[in-house]
Amino acid sequence: MYDVIIIGGGPAGLNAAMILGRSRRKVLVFDSGKPRNRWAVNMNGFLSSDGVNPRDFIKKGREELQKYEIEIIDKAVATATYSKGMYVIDDEEGHVYHSRKLLLATGLKDALPEVEGIESMYGKSVHHCPYCDGWESRDKAIAVYGKERSGIGQALAMKNWSDDVTLYTDGTDKLRTQDLDLLKHNGVKVCTDAIERLEGEEGMLQRIKLKNGQSREQQAMFFSGETTQQSDIGKQLGCEFTGKGVIKTRRLQQANIPGLYVAGDAARDMQLVIVAAAEGAKAGVAINMELQEEDRVKV
């Protein structure tokens, strides 16, 4: 019987494990090895770790947990159930584990636009988060991908990082007159032609080839696509979700099921690594306090 099982070995899960380990709790972490930012070359916006490779960041975090005797299993979790104050976890190989509390730090996954050439550039010159990668794309010729009207907000936002921003709607023409006026007055160019492919070398975007035969020189692309949960464990347990597909949590990361906490991208709209780590710390403190209350002798 573990005090806490943590599903997810990213910044949220590892930071929670550290807090709980320092609280002398028996902790088990499951890590499927598929973090959301695994394509990224650098992890930015994290004080003291700005620009660090995400894999190196996780490796260092794991090393720091060793002195707290945190157990880490490099496997995915298949199922999770809750009954009478206990969580039962089955990993992908059928092994069963039990815990008093459960923390989901499983994160989200991004749906890449269906454009030829994008996969080799994702995490290098194609990004979804301007706060993570906008600085590295500053003053470049930035393309924003968004079909119909979905890219308007991000195209306007990217003017913060460059004066040269073009919105690509990839063959869709749903922009309204007021949309076009807003974009024009804010210096955002618009291309509604269908995209054939992205071209470049070594993961760095150089141009966008259109299906009409034209090419446009571009140095970076940002998109705001759909995200989905990396794991269906939250759904299995009966968690409540927001309209954006993330799990509803209260102030200290509690979900709607007793003893269940959720931290990181799976639970919030502010999807930054440093925020995920902070939510993991919050959840760790809250879980330990709940365990303390349960174990305290009542008089």
Side-chain angles (χ1 to χ4, degrees):
M1 173 68 75
Y2 292 90
D3 290 318
V4 188
I5 288 178
I6 298 172
I7 305 177
L14 294 183
N15 219 38
M18 175 175 283
I19 295 295
L20 289 160
R22 290 178 58 82
S23 302
R24 308 190 73 177
R25 297 298 178 184
K26 187 178 181 182
V27 181
L28 171 62
V29 178
F30 282 97
D31 187 355
S32 67
K34 296 179 179 179
R36 183 181 184 184
N37 65 354
R38 61 188 179 275
W39 290 278
V41 177
N42 302 107
M43 184 192 78
N44 302 304
F46 198 120
L47 191 64
S48 80
S49 296
D50 190 48
V52 169
N53 182 283
R55 287 158 291 284
D56 293 339
F57 179 80
I58 295 301
K59 181 181 177 182
K60 182 180 178 183
R62 283 185 168 214
E63 291 171 352
E64 291 177 350
L65 292 183
Q66 290 178 2
K67 61 186 173 187
Y68 303 118
E69 299 182 353
I70 304 296
E71 187 177 350
I72 300 177
I73 296 179
D74 291 309
K75 294 178 185 176
V77 169
T79 63
T81 57
Y82 171 76
S83 177
K84 298 179 180 179
M86 182 175 70
Y87 284 90
V88 180
I89 307 299
D90 292 79
D91 70 20
E92 59 188 349
E93 294 181 355
H95 300 119
V96 181
Y97 308 82
H98 302 83
S99 67
R100 298 168 63 187
K101 307 295 175 186
L102 181 65
L103 171 63
L104 297 184
T106 44
L108 300 173
K109 57 183 176 181
D110 298 285
L112 287 178
E114 294 182 1
V115 178
E116 183 182 339
I118 197 169
E119 289 190 10
S120 64
M121 299 180 186
Y122 186 43
K124 298 181 181 71
S125 59
V126 176
H127 313 281
H128 68 268
C129 173
Y131 293 98
C132 304
D133 300 290
W135 170 261
E136 287 69 29
S137 302
R138 67 193 183 281
D139 299 325
K140 292 182 178 181
I142 296 177
V144 173
Y145 183 96
K147 287 192 173 184
E148 299 182 348
R149 303 182 67 245
S150 65
I152 296 172
Q154 190 166 44
L156 293 168
M158 292 312 301
K159 290 290 292 183
N160 194 152
W161 286 272
S162 176
D163 288 331
D164 188 351
V165 177
T166 303
L167 171 62
Y168 289 82
T169 64
D170 194 11
T172 61
D173 193 7
K174 299 292 184 179
L175 298 176
R176 303 168 184 170
T177 300
Q178 55 265 43
D179 297 332
L180 293 169
D181 288 342
L182 179 63
L183 292 164
K184 179 180 178 181
H185 282 88
N186 284 278
V188 176
K189 293 169 281 188
V190 176
C191 177
T192 59
D193 297 308
I195 295 174
E196 181 175 328
R197 64 180 178 271
L198 306 186
E199 296 180 339
E201 295 180 0
E202 298 181 350
M204 303 308 296
L205 176 65
Q206 294 177 336
R207 70 193 67 83
I208 294 178
K209 183 72 178 294
L210 303 175
K211 289 185 177 179
N212 62 12
Q214 296 179 357
S215 291
R216 296 199 173 205
E217 302 297 313
Q218 301 286 176
Q219 297 168 295
M221 174 181 277
F222 285 79
F223 68 93
S224 182
E226 293 183 359
T227 58
T228 55
Q229 293 281 329
Q230 284 262 33
S231 168
D232 68 348
I233 298 298
K235 186 176 181 180
Q236 287 183 30
L237 291 168
C239 289
E240 295 178 352
F241 288 80
T242 71
K244 293 185 177 181
V246 295
I247 299 173
K248 289 184 179 180
T249 55
R250 299 198 292 276
R251 185 173 63 89
L252 295 177
Q253 309 304 131
Q254 307 99 320
N256 59 302
I257 299 161
L260 178 64
Y261 292 74
V262 188
D265 290 358
R268 292 291 182 189
D269 294 332
M270 184 63 73
Q271 295 165 7
L272 298 173
V273 174
I274 196 165
V275 174
E279 288 183 357
K282 280 173 58 180
V285 170
I287 290 169
N288 187 59
M289 291 176 64
E290 190 171 293
L291 288 168
Q292 287 175 336
E293 179 66 25
E294 291 176 2
D295 293 341
R296 193 167 292 141
V297 176
K298 306 298 190 294
V299 295

